[in-house]
Structures are given as C-alpha cells and as structure tokens.
C-alpha cells in the first residue's frame, strides 16, 4: 500500500513538472508575475516611456505610454533586463530576440518589447548602437515602478547599478500572462532568451 502511494506521488510530481515546463517552469516564487496574471492590473497606474531622443522627448512633452496601450488586444512578447550597455544584455539577450524576430511574426506576435530600468534617452541610444530598434520596441522604466509592481525589481548596487530588475521574459495575450521565465540571477542567460519563449507561444 505504501509503495502504491509513493508511486502515485512520484507520478503526480512528474505530471506537475511536465505542466510547469509547458507553461513556464522558470517563474520564481517571489515574483507577482505568473501565468494568468493581468499585467495591467498588477501594475495599476504605471506607464512606460518609449525609447526616444531628448529632442523627441521635449516635442512629445515627455509623454508616457499606459500599459493598456501596449498590451490590450495584442499578442506581445516582452523581456526585461538589468540595464542598457551592460554585457549579457548587449551581447546575448537583445541579439537573441533580434535574430528570431521573423519567427515571432510568423507566430502572430504583434510586438516584441524590451524594457529596462533606464531613462528612455539612454535606452534609445543603446538600441540604436546595437542596431535593434527596427526589430524590437524599447521602453524605459525610469523609476522602476513597473518592475517593482511585478515583484521583478532587483538591487544591483554591488555592480554599481543601483535599483534595477531581474532578467526575465513573458508571453502576454490581451494583457494576460501566458508564460513567464525569470533567471536565477541577472547575470544568467538560460531561460529568458527568444528560443525558450518561442516554444511557449
């Protein structure tokens, strides 16, 4: 009898692991962002700042973009990273999405978005430097409120970066999170790349 119960428990655990792999096993426990979360409700009143030059910022009267404009009625892949001009972000994370942009379009994705705890002017210069602005939409989270609302904020003072974010990715349909992946450490690049999220769409 005891052996039968043990086998059932093991089978249940394996099924749970398989289901987690399908929907995004890589979500960390402390994050508020999970499958089924309405991302706009999780960050009420929060807006992002589209990457732009300083002159464009002035001409737009420093406008921001509500989350509902970004997510509602759309299929969106979004990934967050610790900061513009940093190593893994520039050399691996953004390039993975840039090189797979046609595959995302083929799957009906309306937009692929990169967000970072930076002002929109710094992230604009960085996006232009790495040649990714035509393929990916870049947004700044200048005060970190977006990431903090989602439980994805991270203190990276040890690397002289101050308050930043985890490295993560998510697939969102009409504001609802369908899959989310968060790296164990911001320096890691194992689960937040384009190849993983493509398999979750």
């Amino acid at each position: 009898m005891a052996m039968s119960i043990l086998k059932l428990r093991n089978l249940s655990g394996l099924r749970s692991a398989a289901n987690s792999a399908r929907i995004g096993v890589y979500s960390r426990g402390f994050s508020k962002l999970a499958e089924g979360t309405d991302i706009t409700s999780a960050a009420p009143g929060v807006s992002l700042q589209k990457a732009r030059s300083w002159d464009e910022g002035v001409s737009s009267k420093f406008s921001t973009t509500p989350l509902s404009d970004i997510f509602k009625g759309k299929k969106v892949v979004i990934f967050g990273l610790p900061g513009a001009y940093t190593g893994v972000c520039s050399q691996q994370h953004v390039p993975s999405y840039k090189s797979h942009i046609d595959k995302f379009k083929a799957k009906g994705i309306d937009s692929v978005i990169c967000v970072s705890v930076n002002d929109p002017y710094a992230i604009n210069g960085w996006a232009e430097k790495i040649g990714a602005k035509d393929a990916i939409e870049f947004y700044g989270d200048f005060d970190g409120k977006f990431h903090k609302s989602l439980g994805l904020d991270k203190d990276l003072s040890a690397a002289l970066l101050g308050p930043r974010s985890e490295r993560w990715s998510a697939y969102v349909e009409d504001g609802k999170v369908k899959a989310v992946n968060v790296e164990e450490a911001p320096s890691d690049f194992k689960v937040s790349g384009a190849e993983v999220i493509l398999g979750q769409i």
Side-chain angles (χ1 to χ4, degrees), residues 24-39:
V25 64
Y26 312 110
S27 177
R28 296 179 67 179
F30 60 78
S31 172
K32 297 175 187 175
L33 197 64
E35 185 199 13
T37 300
D38 186 314
I39 200 167

Side-chain angles (χ1 to χ4, degrees), residues 9-86:
R9 284 178 177 171
N10 287 341
L11 181 59
S12 177
L14 287 170
R15 284 175 178 165
S16 176
N19 287 336
S20 294
R22 180 172 52 83
I23 64 173
V25 64
Y26 312 110
S27 177
R28 296 179 67 179
F30 60 78
S31 172
K32 297 175 187 175
L33 197 64
E35 185 199 13
T37 300
D38 186 314
I39 200 167
T40 58
S41 298
V46 174
S47 296
L48 295 176
Q49 310 84 46
K50 194 160 190 177
R52 72 198 95 172
S53 68
W54 176 259
D55 288 343
E56 288 170 333
V58 172
S59 65
S60 70
K61 298 182 180 180
F62 304 106
S63 64
T64 60
T65 306
L67 296 184
S68 57
D69 288 0
I70 297 173
F71 295 107
K72 288 300 183 181
K74 300 175 184 176
K75 293 181 178 180
V76 176
V77 167
I78 182 169
F79 64 101
L81 41 80
Y85 296 100
T86 55

Side-chain angles (χ1 to χ4, degrees), residues 3 28 58-59 105 141 164 184 189:
M3 185 62 72
R28 296 179 67 179
V58 172
S59 65
K105 290 180 179 178
D141 177 22
R164 294 286 177 154
E184 283 297 318
F189 184 64

Side-chain angles (χ1 to χ4, degrees), residues 9 35 41 60 75-76 95 107 110 114 122-124 152-153 161 165 174:
R9 284 178 177 171
E35 185 199 13
S41 298
S60 70
K75 293 181 178 180
V76 176
K107 284 181 173 280
D110 294 301
C114 173
I123 202 168
N124 183 68
L152 291 169
D153 53 314
L161 291 171
S165 76
D174 192 28

Side-chain angles (χ1 to χ4, degrees), residues 76-81 89 92-105 109 111-114 132 135-138 167-171 181 183 189 191-198 200-201:
V76 176
V77 167
I78 182 169
F79 64 101
L81 41 80
C89 305
Q92 293 178 274
H93 207 172
V94 171
S96 79
Y97 284 87
K98 180 185 174 184
S99 64
H100 287 86
I101 198 68
D102 289 339
K103 292 181 181 178
F104 284 113
K105 290 180 179 178
I109 298 301
S111 54
V112 174
I113 291 171
C114 173
I136 299 167
E137 294 180 27
F138 287 82
R167 187 180 305 283
W168 60 281
S169 65
Y171 169 46
N181 312 295
E183 300 286 356
F189 184 64
V191 301
S192 61
E195 296 87 349
V196 173
I197 205 78
L198 271 167
Q200 296 170 321
I201 297 171

